[in-house]
Amino acid sequence: HEAEAHRTDLMTITRYVLNEQSRHPESRGDFSILLSHIVLGCKFVCSSVNKAGLAKLIGLAGETNVQGEEQKKLDVLSNEVFVKALISSGRTCILVSEEDEEATFVDPPLRGRYCVVFDPLDGSSNIDCGVSIGTIFGVYMVKDKDDVTLDEVLQPGKNMLAAGYCMYGSSCTLVLSTGSGVNGFTLDPSLGEFILTHPDIKIPKKGKIYSVNEGNAKNWDGPTTKYVEKCKFPNDGASPKSLRYIGSMVADVHRTLLYGGIFLYPADKKSPNGKLRVLYEVFPMSFLMEQAGGQAFTGKQRALDLVPTKIHQRSPIFLGSYDEVEEIKALMEQNLLQV
Ligand code: P6P
C-alpha cells in the first residue's frame, strides 16, 4: 500500500513550493508565484528545445520557417520567454540575463521584491549535437523595490533565497533549493507537471570523477596543474579518477551532484578570471552544492562570499564533493605560502 500511496500521492513542484511557503508564514505567497513563473519558462523552453531538432529536420529553422517568420535562435527565444514570464509575474524588479548586456529594470506598476539572475539556455552551442543543455537561475530579495539600483543585484551569492537549474536532456529535470536542502523534479509531459523524483539530494563526500577541459592544461597555474596530476597519478595508492567532461555546465554539475566528484573551470593565462559567469552560473551552482553538503571555491575564497562588481563578471570555480574541494583548498593555500 505504501508503494501505491507513494505513486498516487504526487508531490508536484507547485505543492512542494507551497509547502515550503507554509514554513514561512510571513511570506505572502509572492515567492511561490515567482517560482511558478520560472517553472512556466522551463516548461516552454523544454518543449522548444525538444522540437529544435525536428524544426531543423523539417526546415523550420535557419533564416525563415514555413510561415516565412524569422526563426529565432533558441537562446534568444528562451531569453524572451523568461524575461516576459518573470515580468508578468509582478514579483520582480531587476532581471540579469546572460543574453542581455544591460540589466532589465521592471516598470514600477509591475514591480515586486525579487531580483532574478539567469542564463536562459546555458551550453546552447551543444544543441545541434543533442548534448543536454539547461537554464540556470538565482533569486535575491531587494531591500527597497521602489528605489532599485544595480547595487541591489551585486550581492554575494550567500544572500540568494533560491537557486536552481533545469536540464533539457533525455528527460527534463529541475533541481531547486530554496535554502533548506536540494530537491529534483522531473517533468511528466503527459501531466505537464514537474514531479518530485530526487528528494533531499546530498552529494557524496568523496568522488571518483574529475571534470575539467584538459585542453586548457597548457595555460593552467601551478596548483591546478598539481591537482589534476594528482587525479591522474594519485601518490597515496588510490586509483586514478575518471575524467568526464560534457562541456555543458548544467550536465556536468548535475552528474557531479548525483555521483560526486569535482567540477572545475580554473583560471588560466588566457582567462585570468576563468570563463564561467559569477551571477548566473557560479553562484547558483555553488548555492546548490553547499545545500547538498558539498563546497564551492574560487581558488581564493568560498564562492558564495564573492562580492561581484559587474553583472557579467567571471570567476574561476572548483565545486563538488566536500573532501575533493578540501584537497584543492590545501594546494592553493600551500601555493600562497610558497610565494
Ligand atoms: P569550454 C558552455 O558554453 C559553457 O558556458 C558552460 O556551459 C560549460 O561548462 C563551459 O562553457 C564549457 O567551456 O571552454 O570547456 O568549452
Side-chain angles (χ1 to χ4, degrees):
H1 286 309
E2 171 58 26
E4 180 53 38
H6 185 76
R7 230 193 332 272
T8 50
D9 177 20
L10 289 182
M11 175 52 83
T12 64
I13 196 165
T14 313
R15 270 187 62 192
Y16 172 80
V17 170
L18 285 172
N19 291 351
E20 274 295 286
Q21 175 193 317
S22 60
R23 288 154 50 114
H24 306 278
E26 78 288 351
S27 92
R28 299 188 303 273
D30 292 335
F31 191 60
S32 307
I33 290 168
L34 172 69
L35 279 177
S36 65
H37 283 76
I38 291 176
V39 168
L40 175 71
C42 292
K43 287 179 187 174
F44 179 91
V45 172
C46 176
S47 83
S48 312
V49 164
N50 288 349
K51 273 186 240 147
L54 194 62
K56 270 209 179 326
L57 279 181
I58 55 177
L60 281 181
E63 291 318 303
T64 59
N65 58 25
V66 288
Q67 288 84 5
E69 295 141 9
E70 162 76 16
Q71 181 67 25
K72 285 192 171 66
K73 276 164 57 73
L74 263 184
D75 41 11
V76 172
L77 181 72
S78 307
N79 186 50
E80 284 175 12
V81 164
F82 274 104
V83 168
K84 288 189 179 120
L86 290 168
I87 291 175
S88 66
S89 75
R91 288 349 188 242
T92 60
C93 55
I94 310 181
L95 307 179
V96 171
S97 167
E98 191 266 349
E99 287 288 329
D100 296 327
E101 197 48 43
E102 305 301 328
T104 300
F105 291 83
V106 179
D107 290 345
L110 264 176
R111 263 188 197 163
R113 300 178 293 166
Y114 298 108
C115 154
V116 182
V117 295
F118 61 101
D119 187 344
L121 205 54
D122 183 83
S124 51
S125 57
N126 292 297
I127 292 179
D128 294 349
C129 63
V131 163
S132 298
I133 52 180
T135 299
I136 311 172
F137 61 88
V139 180
Y140 290 108
M141 169 95 82
V142 294
K143 294 177 199 68
D144 175 1
K145 73 177 169 76
D146 298 321
D147 171 24
V148 171
T149 65
L150 208 53
D151 292 348
E152 296 279 5
V153 83
L154 297 174
Q155 299 186 43
K158 63 187 167 194
N159 292 0
M160 280 189 175
L161 297 178
Y165 57 80
C166 189
M167 185 170 76
Y168 311 109
S170 47
S171 62
C172 179
T173 304
L174 199 157
V175 172
L176 171 71
S177 173
T178 54
S180 45
V182 180
N183 289 283
F185 303 82
T186 303
L187 182 65
D188 176 336
S190 64
L191 293 177
E193 280 283 5
F194 279 98
I195 308 294
L196 180 65
T197 46
H198 299 70
D200 195 23
I201 301 176
K202 291 294 173 207
I203 181 171
K205 206 162 174 306
K206 296 177 180 312
K208 300 187 179 60
I209 296 170
Y210 76 104
S211 186
V212 67
N213 182 341
E214 287 264 12
N216 296 333
K218 190 163 75 73
N219 299 313
W220 288 337
D221 63 18
T224 299
T225 305
K226 211 178 286 178
Y227 175 73
V228 174
E229 204 61 14
K230 206 163 172 300
C231 291
K232 298 193 276 195
F233 304 96
N235 50 19
D236 55 2
S239 48
K241 285 185 167 45
S242 287
L243 170 60
R244 292 283 183 277
Y245 193 69
I246 303 167
S248 175
M249 187 183 198
V250 173
D252 278 317
V253 168
H254 189 60
R255 184 208 52 250
T256 305
L257 189 64
L258 296 186
Y259 294 177
I262 186 88
F263 171 81
L264 44 154
Y265 206 109
D268 65 35
K269 293 171 194 122
K270 273 187 318 176
S271 356
N273 283 322
K275 172 183 183 182
L276 300 179
R277 308 285 183 169
V278 172
L279 277 183
Y280 42 78
E281 288 177 314
V282 172
F283 279 168
M285 296 315 204
S286 300
F287 186 93
L288 290 170
M289 279 297 159
E290 289 200 2
Q291 286 289 319
Q295 291 197 76
F297 183 61
T298 66
K300 294 196 174 76
Q301 64 182 104
R302 175 193 178 216
L304 292 181
D305 286 342
L306 190 65
V307 181
T309 53
K310 294 242 181 310
I311 59 173
H312 297 295
Q313 179 176 329
R314 301 170 195 264
S315 167
I317 185 69
F318 304 82
L319 58 78
S321 293
Y322 191 90
D323 290 359
E324 309 300 336
V325 179
E326 279 301 286
E327 277 193 34
I328 289 177
K329 284 161 72 172
L331 282 170
M332 296 291 175
E333 272 140 27
Q334 277 166 24
N335 187 50
L336 283 178
L337 296 175
Q338 278 158 8
V339 163

